[in-house]
Amino acid sequence: MATFQTLPGFREFYPEDLARRNHIFRRWRQAAGTYGFAEYDAPVLEPLELYKTKSGDEIEGQLFNFTDKGGREVALRPEMTPTVCRLVGAKANALKRPIKWFSIAEFYRYERAQKGRLRAFFQFNADIFGEPGPEAEIELIALLIQCLAGFGLTKDDFCVRLSDRDLWFFYLEALGFNDTQARELLGAIDKVEKLGDAAFEAFAEKHGPLAPEKMAAILGFMKIRSLEALAAEIGRIGQDKLEARLGDWRRVIAGLTAMSLGEFIQVDLSVVRGLAYYTGFVFEAFDRKGDLRALAGGGRYNDLVKKLGLPDLPAVGFAIGDVTTGLLLEQRGLMPTFVQAPDVYCVIGGEKERAAAFGDIQALRAAGYRVDYPLKEVGFGKQFKAAAESGAKVALIYGGDEIAKGVVKLRDLTERSERDVPRADLLVTVRDFLAGA
RNA sequence: GCGGUCAUAGCUCAGUUGGUUAGAGCACAAGAUUGUGAAUCUUGGGGUCGCGGGUUCGAGUCCCGUUGGCCGCCCCA
């Protein structure tokens, strides 16, 4: 066994693995491009303080962090959001609005690896800055859907659960809770799916038991799964803030429906996400059939840019990871197999013929064709076998007889037929052959 | 950080109540083969049996520890 092992939670990408990874990246990049998002990148290493400021000191336990030789406390990035906030914030006054940016980058988290979660992973991040209205949510959720639908996944494979922290705060306010209590209740709501009623025990210990009718209202609000039911409940409460917020919901749903994406959306107020920095809509993409963890997640974070010491800038964004996406595609049989085949494979008789072949090989390569040949002199039998196994459509045979006649034998590896081609016509003949094949 | 489970060749695995020099298939390489295809035959390389310790005359096999994979808990930006 090897003396040095790969670090836990890290992956190596052998050619087949990298081909699959690139396939995912290609689709994401394509989606972002068609939605008018500009790609950026940023440092892998950042000041530790950037993440502590955003998420609190406890975050350090989940980071790959160390002190560099200059005495700086630094960390490998665990996410892109604070970084992109800094990039955008630094030039906020000079950038055209809306600012629509995306990136594909590797992230590092010091956590125990398990299914769908590793210590090093890639994420596609997309954000819109400078647009406070729900139009930004429409655009971003549509992009999120395309980031999965681009692989052939349909509304039967995944859905986007839409929720809203503002709506919750207004609702809890209407029920008579103060801001501190509301935050704690949201923490409990986030855990109800796992813990059931026990999720509210911590709240009850601090603030006294929940009145049965309020508990029932909260549990009922969580179970809302349609815009109609939401409107009905808000109408029952009759509070102005809730009514106004319902208007934003109608716009988001209407917009996505007009994009023919309505069937991907699932109203689900049980999604609140643990992160305290989200300020409005939050959304997560889920596998509809399987038991995978969340495929993607995002939401609005209007206060974060300012919190990082930058201009006040509304923002909404999401991230989707390569690990769960890859698992889902494998499960659905939507991950293609990739073969790296040359267009042309050259069979070369000996050293003399090699010199002639090299000239043609380079000419074909300059014309953009993928050309391969045996590095060392081997028998014809082996070479023909290698040519067939390479996956090339055509073999060019450089034997002593051919060179003497000024021709190359062109073998159709599919049809197993051969013909002589004057070397002067080789480029044109190969081009026509490959174009016709 | 906690728990379960597994670890023999590049891959899939076999390996008897502990007993000689650890095997097979696939894959890879060479040859049969100095001009024609995934075949066949022959041959070869490749293992400190994850690592370390213990029991024993003797450990791939039993015991303890440890590292790593997988699964789950905590967490999940």
Side-chain angles (χ1 to χ4, degrees), chain A residues 1 8 62 79 114-115 117 194 275 293 380 384 388 402 411 413 418:
Chain A
M1 277 298 128
Q62 319 274 352
E79 59 167 326
Q114 52 184 273
K115 189 176 186 183
R117 188 171 79 178
K194 277 182 189 170
L275 346 318
R293 47 199 315 119
F380 275 96
F384 281 106
E402 287 84 1
R411 181 175 176 84
L413 289 167
E418 292 179 350

Short mmCIF file of all heavy atoms in Angstrom, two decimals, chain A residues 1 8 62 79 114-115 117 194 275 293 380 384 388 402 411 413 418, chain B residues 1 9 31 35-37 48 67-69 71-77:
data_model
loop_
_atom_site.label_atom_id
_atom_site.label_comp_id
_atom_site.label_asym_id
_atom_site.label_seq_id
_atom_site.Cartn_x
_atom_site.Cartn_y
_atom_site.Cartn_z
N MET A 1 0.83 -1.21 0.00
CA MET A 1 0.00 0.00 0.00
C MET A 1 0.86 1.25 0.00
O MET A 1 1.97 1.26 0.51
CB MET A 1 -0.90 0.01 1.26
CG MET A 1 -2.16 -0.79 1.10
SD MET A 1 -3.25 -0.19 -0.20
CE MET A 1 -3.51 -1.68 -1.14
N PRO A 8 -8.41 12.45 4.40
CA PRO A 8 -9.83 12.08 4.49
C PRO A 8 -10.73 13.18 3.96
O PRO A 8 -10.52 14.36 4.23
CB PRO A 8 -10.05 11.87 5.99
CG PRO A 8 -8.89 12.51 6.67
CD PRO A 8 -7.76 12.46 5.70
N GLN A 62 -15.08 24.41 12.16
CA GLN A 62 -15.43 23.75 10.90
C GLN A 62 -14.50 24.15 9.75
O GLN A 62 -14.77 23.85 8.61
CB GLN A 62 -16.86 24.14 10.48
CG GLN A 62 -17.85 24.19 11.61
CD GLN A 62 -18.46 22.86 11.89
OE1 GLN A 62 -18.24 21.91 11.16
NE2 GLN A 62 -19.20 22.75 12.97
N GLU A 79 -16.89 28.71 1.90
CA GLU A 79 -18.04 29.16 1.11
C GLU A 79 -17.61 30.41 0.35
O GLU A 79 -16.56 30.99 0.61
CB GLU A 79 -19.22 29.48 2.02
CG GLU A 79 -18.87 30.56 3.03
CD GLU A 79 -20.08 31.13 3.74
OE1 GLU A 79 -21.14 31.20 3.09
OE2 GLU A 79 -19.96 31.50 4.91
N GLN A 114 -19.38 12.23 5.03
CA GLN A 114 -20.43 11.23 4.93
C GLN A 114 -21.09 11.36 3.57
O GLN A 114 -20.61 12.11 2.73
CB GLN A 114 -21.44 11.39 6.07
CG GLN A 114 -21.99 12.79 6.19
CD GLN A 114 -22.92 12.92 7.38
OE1 GLN A 114 -24.09 12.66 7.27
NE2 GLN A 114 -22.36 13.32 8.51
N LYS A 115 -22.17 10.58 3.38
CA LYS A 115 -22.77 10.54 2.06
C LYS A 115 -23.17 11.95 1.59
O LYS A 115 -23.93 12.64 2.25
CB LYS A 115 -24.01 9.65 2.07
CG LYS A 115 -24.56 9.39 0.68
CD LYS A 115 -25.72 8.42 0.74
CE LYS A 115 -26.16 8.05 -0.66
NZ LYS A 115 -27.33 7.17 -0.63
N ARG A 117 -21.35 14.51 1.45
CA ARG A 117 -20.62 15.60 2.08
C ARG A 117 -19.17 15.22 2.28
O ARG A 117 -18.85 14.23 2.92
CB ARG A 117 -21.24 15.95 3.43
CG ARG A 117 -20.61 17.20 4.02
CD ARG A 117 -21.36 17.67 5.23
NE ARG A 117 -21.02 16.88 6.40
CZ ARG A 117 -21.53 17.14 7.61
NH1 ARG A 117 -22.39 18.11 7.78
NH2 ARG A 117 -21.18 16.40 8.63
N LYS A 194 -37.12 16.72 12.11
CA LYS A 194 -36.36 15.64 12.74
C LYS A 194 -36.87 15.30 14.13
O LYS A 194 -36.94 14.13 14.50
CB LYS A 194 -34.88 16.05 12.86
CG LYS A 194 -34.07 15.83 11.60
CD LYS A 194 -32.62 16.23 11.85
CE LYS A 194 -31.83 16.23 10.55
NZ LYS A 194 -30.50 16.84 10.74
N LEU A 275 -29.32 29.26 9.03
CA LEU A 275 -28.49 30.47 9.03
C LEU A 275 -29.27 31.73 9.38
O LEU A 275 -30.26 32.06 8.77
CB LEU A 275 -27.80 30.68 7.68
CG LEU A 275 -27.77 29.53 6.69
CD1 LEU A 275 -27.48 28.24 7.30
CD2 LEU A 275 -28.95 29.55 5.82
N ARG A 293 -29.30 14.41 0.68
CA ARG A 293 -29.43 15.68 1.39
C ARG A 293 -29.77 16.77 0.38
O ARG A 293 -29.86 16.49 -0.81
CB ARG A 293 -28.14 15.98 2.15
CG ARG A 293 -26.90 15.78 1.30
CD ARG A 293 -25.63 15.64 2.12
NE ARG A 293 -25.50 16.60 3.18
CZ ARG A 293 -25.44 16.27 4.45
NH1 ARG A 293 -25.53 15.00 4.81
NH2 ARG A 293 -25.28 17.17 5.37
N PHE A 380 2.91 -4.46 -36.67
CA PHE A 380 1.67 -4.00 -37.27
C PHE A 380 0.45 -4.57 -36.57
O PHE A 380 -0.55 -3.87 -36.35
CB PHE A 380 1.62 -4.36 -38.76
CG PHE A 380 2.30 -3.34 -39.63
CD1 PHE A 380 3.62 -3.52 -40.03
CD2 PHE A 380 1.63 -2.21 -40.05
CE1 PHE A 380 4.25 -2.59 -40.82
CE2 PHE A 380 2.25 -1.27 -40.84
CZ PHE A 380 3.58 -1.45 -41.24
N PHE A 384 -2.64 -2.29 -35.25
CA PHE A 384 -4.02 -2.32 -35.73
C PHE A 384 -4.98 -2.56 -34.58
O PHE A 384 -6.07 -1.99 -34.52
CB PHE A 384 -4.19 -3.38 -36.81
CG PHE A 384 -3.70 -2.91 -38.15
CD1 PHE A 384 -2.51 -3.39 -38.68
CD2 PHE A 384 -4.41 -1.95 -38.85
CE1 PHE A 384 -2.05 -2.93 -39.90
CE2 PHE A 384 -3.95 -1.49 -40.08
CZ PHE A 384 -2.76 -1.97 -40.60
N ALA A 388 -7.86 0.08 -33.33
CA ALA A 388 -9.27 -0.25 -33.12
C ALA A 388 -9.70 0.10 -31.70
O ALA A 388 -10.78 0.64 -31.48
CB ALA A 388 -9.49 -1.74 -33.40
N GLU A 402 3.74 2.21 -49.10
CA GLU A 402 2.94 3.43 -49.29
C GLU A 402 3.84 4.64 -49.48
O GLU A 402 3.64 5.44 -50.41
CB GLU A 402 2.00 3.66 -48.10
CG GLU A 402 0.81 2.71 -48.05
CD GLU A 402 1.15 1.38 -47.39
OE1 GLU A 402 2.32 1.22 -46.95
OE2 GLU A 402 0.28 0.51 -47.34
N ARG A 411 -7.58 3.70 -43.57
CA ARG A 411 -8.44 2.57 -43.21
C ARG A 411 -9.63 3.07 -42.40
O ARG A 411 -9.47 3.71 -41.36
CB ARG A 411 -7.65 1.54 -42.40
CG ARG A 411 -8.48 0.32 -42.02
CD ARG A 411 -7.63 -0.73 -41.33
NE ARG A 411 -8.42 -1.85 -40.87
CZ ARG A 411 -8.76 -2.90 -41.62
NH1 ARG A 411 -8.37 -2.95 -42.88
NH2 ARG A 411 -9.48 -3.89 -41.12
N LEU A 413 -12.01 2.38 -39.85
CA LEU A 413 -11.98 1.40 -38.76
C LEU A 413 -13.36 0.83 -38.45
O LEU A 413 -13.47 -0.21 -37.80
CB LEU A 413 -11.37 2.03 -37.51
CG LEU A 413 -9.86 2.28 -37.62
CD1 LEU A 413 -9.37 3.19 -36.51
CD2 LEU A 413 -9.08 0.97 -37.62
N GLU A 418 -10.22 -0.15 -46.88
CA GLU A 418 -9.01 0.65 -47.05
C GLU A 418 -8.92 1.22 -48.45
O GLU A 418 -9.50 0.68 -49.38
CB GLU A 418 -7.77 -0.23 -46.80
CG GLU A 418 -7.62 -0.67 -45.38
CD GLU A 418 -6.38 -1.55 -45.21
OE1 GLU A 418 -5.78 -1.95 -46.21
OE2 GLU A 418 -6.04 -1.83 -44.05
P G B 1 -11.91 14.72 16.47
OP1 G B 1 -11.60 16.14 16.38
OP2 G B 1 -10.89 13.75 16.93
"O5'" G B 1 -13.16 14.59 17.44
"C5'" G B 1 -13.04 14.89 18.81
"C4'" G B 1 -14.42 14.80 19.42
"O4'" G B 1 -15.31 15.71 18.72
"C3'" G B 1 -15.10 13.45 19.28
"O3'" G B 1 -14.66 12.54 20.27
"C2'" G B 1 -16.57 13.82 19.38
"O2'" G B 1 -16.94 14.03 20.73
"C1'" G B 1 -16.61 15.15 18.63
N9 G B 1 -16.95 14.98 17.22
C8 G B 1 -16.15 15.26 16.14
N7 G B 1 -16.73 14.99 14.98
C5 G B 1 -17.99 14.49 15.35
C6 G B 1 -19.06 14.04 14.54
O6 G B 1 -19.11 13.98 13.31
N1 G B 1 -20.14 13.62 15.31
C2 G B 1 -20.18 13.65 16.67
N2 G B 1 -21.31 13.22 17.24
N3 G B 1 -19.19 14.07 17.44
C4 G B 1 -18.14 14.48 16.72
P A B 9 -5.26 -6.15 -2.14
OP1 A B 9 -5.11 -4.69 -2.02
OP2 A B 9 -6.55 -6.74 -2.52
"O5'" A B 9 -4.18 -6.67 -3.17
"C5'" A B 9 -2.89 -6.05 -3.22
"C4'" A B 9 -2.39 -6.01 -4.63
"O4'" A B 9 -2.17 -7.37 -5.10
"C3'" A B 9 -3.34 -5.37 -5.64
"O3'" A B 9 -2.59 -4.63 -6.60
"C2'" A B 9 -3.98 -6.54 -6.34
"O2'" A B 9 -4.39 -6.27 -7.64
"C1'" A B 9 -2.81 -7.53 -6.35
N9 A B 9 -3.21 -8.92 -6.51
C8 A B 9 -4.46 -9.47 -6.50
N7 A B 9 -4.48 -10.77 -6.71
C5 A B 9 -3.15 -11.10 -6.86
C6 A B 9 -2.50 -12.32 -7.11
N6 A B 9 -3.12 -13.47 -7.25
N1 A B 9 -1.15 -12.29 -7.22
C2 A B 9 -0.51 -11.14 -7.09
N3 A B 9 -1.02 -9.93 -6.84
C4 A B 9 -2.35 -9.97 -6.75
P G B 31 6.98 -7.82 -27.95
OP1 G B 31 8.12 -7.38 -28.77
OP2 G B 31 5.63 -7.28 -28.20
"O5'" G B 31 6.88 -9.41 -28.03
"C5'" G B 31 8.06 -10.21 -27.94
"C4'" G B 31 7.70 -11.67 -27.85
"O4'" G B 31 6.78 -11.87 -26.76
"C3'" G B 31 6.97 -12.26 -29.04
"O3'" G B 31 7.84 -12.56 -30.11
"C2'" G B 31 6.35 -13.51 -28.43
"O2'" G B 31 7.31 -14.54 -28.28
"C1'" G B 31 5.96 -13.00 -27.04
N9 G B 31 4.55 -12.59 -26.99
C8 G B 31 4.03 -11.32 -26.98
N7 G B 31 2.72 -11.30 -26.92
C5 G B 31 2.35 -12.64 -26.88
C6 G B 31 1.08 -13.26 -26.80
O6 G B 31 -0.03 -12.72 -26.76
N1 G B 31 1.16 -14.64 -26.79
C2 G B 31 2.34 -15.34 -26.84
N2 G B 31 2.23 -16.68 -26.82
N3 G B 31 3.55 -14.79 -26.91
C4 G B 31 3.47 -13.44 -26.92
P G B 35 5.31 -7.21 -41.48
OP1 G B 35 5.93 -7.23 -42.81
OP2 G B 35 5.33 -5.95 -40.71
"O5'" G B 35 3.81 -7.71 -41.61
"C5'" G B 35 2.88 -7.48 -40.58
"C4'" G B 35 1.59 -7.00 -41.21
"O4'" G B 35 1.81 -5.66 -41.76
"C3'" G B 35 1.14 -7.88 -42.36
"O3'" G B 35 -0.28 -7.99 -42.37
"C2'" G B 35 1.60 -7.10 -43.61
"O2'" G B 35 0.78 -7.34 -44.73
"C1'" G B 35 1.46 -5.65 -43.13
N9 G B 35 2.34 -4.73 -43.84
C8 G B 35 3.69 -4.82 -43.99
N7 G B 35 4.18 -3.82 -44.67
C5 G B 35 3.09 -3.04 -45.00
C6 G B 35 3.01 -1.85 -45.74
O6 G B 35 3.93 -1.21 -46.27
N1 G B 35 1.70 -1.38 -45.82
C2 G B 35 0.61 -2.01 -45.27
N2 G B 35 -0.56 -1.42 -45.44
N3 G B 35 0.67 -3.13 -44.55
C4 G B 35 1.94 -3.58 -44.49
P U B 36 -0.90 -9.31 -41.84
OP1 U B 36 0.04 -9.97 -40.92
OP2 U B 36 -1.41 -10.01 -43.04
"O5'" U B 36 -2.13 -8.82 -40.97
"C5'" U B 36 -1.90 -8.12 -39.72
"C4'" U B 36 -3.13 -7.31 -39.37
"O4'" U B 36 -3.09 -6.03 -40.06
"C3'" U B 36 -4.43 -7.98 -39.80
"O3'" U B 36 -5.42 -7.68 -38.85
"C2'" U B 36 -4.77 -7.28 -41.12
"O2'" U B 36 -6.14 -7.28 -41.42
"C1'" U B 36 -4.27 -5.87 -40.82
N1 U B 36 -3.92 -5.10 -42.03
C2 U B 36 -4.76 -4.07 -42.37
O2 U B 36 -5.76 -3.79 -41.74
N3 U B 36 -4.38 -3.39 -43.50
C4 U B 36 -3.28 -3.61 -44.27
O4 U B 36 -3.06 -2.91 -45.25
C5 U B 36 -2.45 -4.71 -43.85
C6 U B 36 -2.79 -5.40 -42.75
P G B 37 -6.10 -8.84 -38.07
OP1 G B 37 -5.05 -9.69 -37.48
OP2 G B 37 -7.13 -9.40 -38.95
"O5'" G B 37 -6.82 -8.07 -36.88
"C5'" G B 37 -6.07 -7.65 -35.72
"C4'" G B 37 -7.05 -7.09 -34.73
"O4'" G B 37 -7.44 -5.76 -35.14
"C3'" G B 37 -8.33 -7.91 -34.67
"O3'" G B 37 -8.79 -7.96 -33.32
"C2'" G B 37 -9.31 -7.15 -35.53
"O2'" G B 37 -10.64 -7.27 -35.08
"C1'" G B 37 -8.83 -5.71 -35.38
N9 G B 37 -9.01 -4.96 -36.61
C8 G B 37 -8.40 -5.17 -37.81
N7 G B 37 -8.78 -4.32 -38.73
C5 G B 37 -9.69 -3.51 -38.08
C6 G B 37 -10.43 -2.41 -38.56
O6 G B 37 -10.41 -1.93 -39.70
N1 G B 37 -11.24 -1.87 -37.57
C2 G B 37 -11.31 -2.33 -36.30
N2 G B 37 -12.15 -1.68 -35.49
N3 G B 37 -10.62 -3.36 -35.82
C4 G B 37 -9.85 -3.89 -36.77
P U B 48 2.32 -4.05 -0.23
OP1 U B 48 1.25 -3.12 0.07
OP2 U B 48 3.44 -3.60 -1.06
"O5'" U B 48 2.88 -4.64 1.15
"C5'" U B 48 4.07 -5.29 1.12
"C4'" U B 48 4.23 -6.21 2.29
"O4'" U B 48 5.61 -6.06 2.70
"C3'" U B 48 3.43 -5.82 3.55
"O3'" U B 48 2.11 -6.41 3.58
"C2'" U B 48 4.35 -6.26 4.70
"O2'" U B 48 4.26 -7.64 5.01
"C1'" U B 48 5.72 -5.97 4.10
N1 U B 48 6.19 -4.61 4.41
C2 U B 48 6.74 -4.43 5.66
O2 U B 48 6.85 -5.33 6.46
N3 U B 48 7.16 -3.16 5.92
C4 U B 48 7.09 -2.06 5.09
O4 U B 48 7.53 -0.98 5.47
C5 U B 48 6.50 -2.31 3.82
C6 U B 48 6.08 -3.55 3.53
P U B 67 -6.34 7.13 15.04
OP1 U B 67 -6.02 8.54 15.30
OP2 U B 67 -7.66 6.59 15.41
"O5'" U B 67 -6.09 6.83 13.49
"C5'" U B 67 -4.92 7.34 12.83
"C4'" U B 67 -4.83 6.77 11.44
"O4'" U B 67 -4.73 5.32 11.51
"C3'" U B 67 -6.03 7.00 10.54
"O3'" U B 67 -6.03 8.29 9.95
"C2'" U B 67 -5.87 5.90 9.51
"O2'" U B 67 -4.85 6.21 8.57
"C1'" U B 67 -5.37 4.75 10.38
N1 U B 67 -6.48 3.89 10.85
C2 U B 67 -6.94 2.91 9.99
O2 U B 67 -6.49 2.75 8.88
N3 U B 67 -7.96 2.14 10.48
C4 U B 67 -8.55 2.23 11.73
O4 U B 67 -9.46 1.46 12.04
C5 U B 67 -8.03 3.27 12.56
C6 U B 67 -7.03 4.03 12.10
P G B 68 -7.42 8.97 9.58
OP1 G B 68 -7.10 10.31 9.08
OP2 G B 68 -8.34 8.80 10.72
"O5'" G B 68 -7.97 8.09 8.37
"C5'" G B 68 -7.37 8.19 7.09
"C4'" G B 68 -7.87 7.10 6.18
"O4'" G B 68 -7.63 5.80 6.80
"C3'" G B 68 -9.37 7.08 5.93
"O3'" G B 68 -9.77 8.03 4.96
"C2'" G B 68 -9.58 5.64 5.46
"O2'" G B 68 -9.12 5.47 4.14
"C1'" G B 68 -8.64 4.89 6.41
N9 G B 68 -9.35 4.44 7.61
C8 G B 68 -9.33 4.98 8.87
N7 G B 68 -10.10 4.33 9.72
C5 G B 68 -10.67 3.32 8.96
C6 G B 68 -11.58 2.29 9.33
O6 G B 68 -12.10 2.06 10.43
N1 G B 68 -11.90 1.48 8.24
C2 G B 68 -11.39 1.63 6.98
N2 G B 68 -11.81 0.75 6.05
N3 G B 68 -10.54 2.57 6.62
C4 G B 68 -10.22 3.37 7.66
P G B 69 -11.30 8.50 4.93
OP1 G B 69 -11.37 9.64 4.00
OP2 G B 69 -11.81 8.65 6.32
"O5'" G B 69 -12.05 7.26 4.27
"C5'" G B 69 -11.80 6.92 2.93
"C4'" G B 69 -12.63 5.73 2.53
"O4'" G B 69 -12.28 4.59 3.36
"C3'" G B 69 -14.12 5.87 2.76
"O3'" G B 69 -14.75 6.59 1.71
"C2'" G B 69 -14.58 4.42 2.81
"O2'" G B 69 -14.64 3.86 1.53
"C1'" G B 69 -13.41 3.78 3.58
N9 G B 69 -13.68 3.71 5.01
C8 G B 69 -13.12 4.47 6.01
N7 G B 69 -13.55 4.16 7.21
C5 G B 69 -14.45 3.13 6.99
C6 G B 69 -15.24 2.39 7.90
O6 G B 69 -15.29 2.49 9.12
N1 G B 69 -16.02 1.43 7.24
C2 G B 69 -16.04 1.23 5.89
N2 G B 69 -16.86 0.29 5.44
N3 G B 69 -15.31 1.92 5.02
C4 G B 69 -14.54 2.84 5.63
P C B 71 -21.70 6.81 2.39
OP1 C B 71 -22.64 7.09 1.30
OP2 C B 71 -20.80 7.86 2.90
"O5'" C B 71 -22.51 6.23 3.63
"C5'" C B 71 -23.47 5.21 3.44
"C4'" C B 71 -24.05 4.78 4.76
"O4'" C B 71 -23.02 4.13 5.56
"C3'" C B 71 -24.55 5.90 5.66
"O3'" C B 71 -25.80 6.41 5.27
"C2'" C B 71 -24.57 5.19 7.02
"O2'" C B 71 -25.68 4.32 7.11
"C1'" C B 71 -23.29 4.37 6.94
N1 C B 71 -22.16 5.11 7.54
C2 C B 71 -22.02 5.07 8.93
O2 C B 71 -22.85 4.43 9.59
N3 C B 71 -21.00 5.75 9.51
C4 C B 71 -20.14 6.43 8.76
N4 C B 71 -19.16 7.08 9.38
C5 C B 71 -20.26 6.49 7.34
C6 C B 71 -21.28 5.82 6.77
P G B 72 -26.14 7.94 5.55
OP1 G B 72 -27.46 8.20 4.93
OP2 G B 72 -24.96 8.74 5.16
"O5'" G B 72 -26.28 8.01 7.14
"C5'" G B 72 -27.47 7.58 7.77
"C4'" G B 72 -27.28 7.42 9.26
"O4'" G B 72 -26.03 6.75 9.55
"C3'" G B 72 -27.17 8.70 10.07
"O3'" G B 72 -28.42 9.35 10.26
"C2'" G B 72 -26.59 8.16 11.37
"O2'" G B 72 -27.57 7.49 12.12
"C1'" G B 72 -25.58 7.15 10.83
N9 G B 72 -24.24 7.76 10.72
C8 G B 72 -23.54 8.11 9.59
N7 G B 72 -22.38 8.65 9.86
C5 G B 72 -22.31 8.68 11.24
C6 G B 72 -21.31 9.15 12.12
O6 G B 72 -20.22 9.66 11.83
N1 G B 72 -21.65 8.98 13.46
C2 G B 72 -22.83 8.43 13.90
N2 G B 72 -22.99 8.36 15.22
N3 G B 72 -23.78 7.98 13.10
C4 G B 72 -23.45 8.13 11.79
P C B 73 -28.47 10.91 10.52
OP1 C B 73 -29.89 11.29 10.56
OP2 C B 73 -27.54 11.56 9.57
"O5'" C B 73 -27.86 11.04 11.98
"C5'" C B 73 -28.58 10.59 13.11
"C4'" C B 73 -27.84 10.91 14.38
"O4'" C B 73 -26.53 10.29 14.36
"C3'" C B 73 -27.52 12.38 14.62
"O3'" C B 73 -28.64 13.09 15.13
"C2'" C B 73 -26.38 12.30 15.61
"O2'" C B 73 -26.84 12.04 16.91
"C1'" C B 73 -25.62 11.08 15.10
N1 C B 73 -24.49 11.46 14.21
C2 C B 73 -23.33 11.97 14.83
O2 C B 73 -23.30 12.08 16.05
N3 C B 73 -22.29 12.33 14.05
C4 C B 73 -22.35 12.19 12.72
N4 C B 73 -21.30 12.56 12.01
C5 C B 73 -23.52 11.68 12.08
C6 C B 73 -24.56 11.33 12.86
P C B 74 -28.82 14.63 14.74
OP1 C B 74 -30.01 15.11 15.49
OP2 C B 74 -28.78 14.75 13.27
"O5'" C B 74 -27.53 15.35 15.34
"C5'" C B 74 -27.45 15.67 16.72
"C4'" C B 74 -26.16 16.38 17.03
"O4'" C B 74 -25.05 15.53 16.64
"C3'" C B 74 -25.91 17.67 16.26
"O3'" C B 74 -26.57 18.77 16.84
"C2'" C B 74 -24.39 17.80 16.34
"O2'" C B 74 -23.99 18.30 17.58
"C1'" C B 74 -23.96 16.33 16.21
N1 C B 74 -23.62 15.98 14.80
C2 C B 74 -22.36 16.34 14.33
O2 C B 74 -21.57 16.92 15.08
N3 C B 74 -22.05 16.03 13.05
C4 C B 74 -22.93 15.40 12.27
N4 C B 74 -22.57 15.13 11.03
C5 C B 74 -24.21 15.04 12.74
C6 C B 74 -24.52 15.35 14.01
P C B 75 -27.40 19.77 15.93
OP1 C B 75 -27.88 20.86 16.79
OP2 C B 75 -28.36 18.97 15.15
"O5'" C B 75 -26.33 20.37 14.93
"C5'" C B 75 -25.33 21.28 15.37
"C4'" C B 75 -24.25 21.43 14.32
"O4'" C B 75 -23.73 20.12 13.98
"C3'" C B 75 -24.71 21.99 12.97
"O3'" C B 75 -24.82 23.40 12.99
"C2'" C B 75 -23.62 21.49 12.05
"O2'" C B 75 -22.44 22.26 12.18
"C1'" C B 75 -23.36 20.09 12.62
N1 C B 75 -24.18 19.05 11.94
C2 C B 75 -23.68 18.52 10.75
O2 C B 75 -22.58 18.92 10.32
N3 C B 75 -24.40 17.56 10.09
C4 C B 75 -25.57 17.16 10.59
N4 C B 75 -26.23 16.22 9.92
C5 C B 75 -26.10 17.70 11.80
C6 C B 75 -25.38 18.63 12.43
P C B 76 -26.02 24.09 12.23
OP1 C B 76 -25.91 25.53 12.45
OP2 C B 76 -27.26 23.38 12.60
"O5'" C B 76 -25.71 23.78 10.70
"C5'" C B 76 -24.72 24.52 9.99
"C4'" C B 76 -24.34 23.81 8.72
"O4'" C B 76 -24.13 22.40 9.00
"C3'" C B 76 -25.39 23.79 7.62
"O3'" C B 76 -25.41 25.00 6.88
"C2'" C B 76 -24.92 22.62 6.78
"O2'" C B 76 -23.80 22.96 6.00
"C1'" C B 76 -24.49 21.63 7.87
N1 C B 76 -25.60 20.72 8.22
C2 C B 76 -25.81 19.61 7.42
O2 C B 76 -25.05 19.42 6.45
N3 C B 76 -26.83 18.78 7.70
C4 C B 76 -27.63 19.02 8.74
N4 C B 76 -28.63 18.17 8.97
C5 C B 76 -27.44 20.16 9.57
C6 C B 76 -26.43 20.97 9.29
P A B 77 -26.80 25.45 6.26
OP1 A B 77 -27.80 25.37 7.33
OP2 A B 77 -26.89 24.64 5.05
"O5'" A B 77 -26.67 26.97 5.83
"C5'" A B 77 -25.88 27.91 6.54
"C4'" A B 77 -24.91 28.51 5.56
"O4'" A B 77 -23.69 28.83 6.26
"C3'" A B 77 -24.46 27.56 4.45
"O3'" A B 77 -25.36 27.54 3.35
"C2'" A B 77 -23.09 28.09 4.10
"O2'" A B 77 -23.17 29.26 3.33
"C1'" A B 77 -22.57 28.47 5.47
N9 A B 77 -21.89 27.32 6.10
C8 A B 77 -22.40 26.11 6.46
N7 A B 77 -21.52 25.31 7.01
C5 A B 77 -20.35 26.05 7.01
C6 A B 77 -19.06 25.76 7.45
N6 A B 77 -18.70 24.61 8.01
N1 A B 77 -18.12 26.71 7.31
C2 A B 77 -18.47 27.86 6.74
N3 A B 77 -19.66 28.26 6.29
C4 A B 77 -20.57 27.28 6.45
#
